[in-house]
Amino acid sequence: MKVSIVYWSGTGNTEAMANAVAEGAKNAGAEVGLLPVSAADESVLESDALLFGCPAMGAEELEEGEFEPFFSSVEGKLAGKKIGLFGSYDWGDGEWMRTWQERVVTAGGNMIADGVIANNAPDDEALSACRELGKLAAE
């Protein structure tokens, strides 16, 4: 089972979540690729499961400089793929995650679980949920 985790992190919060997702997938026996979005390309689509991490930015949107362009470039190719989402936020109620999940489902992706969100730095509960997301991706 190959799992690719692509993330963008400005403060380190989403990166911490990505590391916990990777830990959960590795502990479940998956081969894991952990990539900042700046190092990712469409080859991640060859994975058995794809996990994307991005914090809420602006008016509860994905980071628009690097992450949104990359996600938009692969969005139309998610049909039938196992997808997981995670990210942190500092305000709002998680609308960006609900919108992001809708985009995945509309594209035909199979959400393996609801997106994992953390308010600012992920606490133990959020990190545990990230490890569980990684485990589910590896199954």
Side-chain angles (χ1 to χ4, degrees):
M1 174 69 68
K2 184 174 180 186
V3 174
S4 287
I5 303 163
V6 178
Y7 70 93
W8 185 92
S9 187
T11 63
N13 294 339
T14 300
E15 182 176 16
M17 296 174 80
N19 288 328
V21 171
E23 179 185 339
K26 285 178 186 172
N27 288 345
E31 174 190 337
V32 176
L34 178 63
L35 300 165
V37 72
S38 60
D41 60 36
E42 288 195 10
S43 67
V44 298
L45 294 167
E46 298 166 11
S47 301
D48 299 300
L50 278 162
L51 296 117
F52 296 104
C54 186
M57 305 291 284
E60 290 211 56
E61 299 164 344
L62 297 175
E63 188 277 328
E64 61 187 23
E66 291 181 278
F67 195 86
E68 176 62 45
F70 177 77
F71 187 76
S72 291
S73 76
V74 299
E75 185 172 359
K77 300 170 186 161
L78 299 180
K81 304 238 176 247
K82 289 173 63 172
I83 307 293
L85 306 176
F86 60 93
S88 62
Y89 67 103
D90 188 19
W91 60 90
D93 67 356
E95 178 185 353
W96 106 100
M97 183 59 71
R98 293 188 298 275
T99 302
W100 195 9
Q101 288 179 170
E102 288 172 20
R103 288 175 66 182
V104 169
V105 171
T106 299
N110 300 319
M111 292 292 301
I112 57 177
D114 283 339
V116 176
I117 61 176
N119 187 274
N120 292 308
D123 58 14
D124 289 343
E125 184 179 333
L127 292 173
S128 178
C130 287
R131 285 189 286 274
E132 180 64 21
L133 181 63
K135 178 181 170 224
L136 289 172
E139 292 177 345

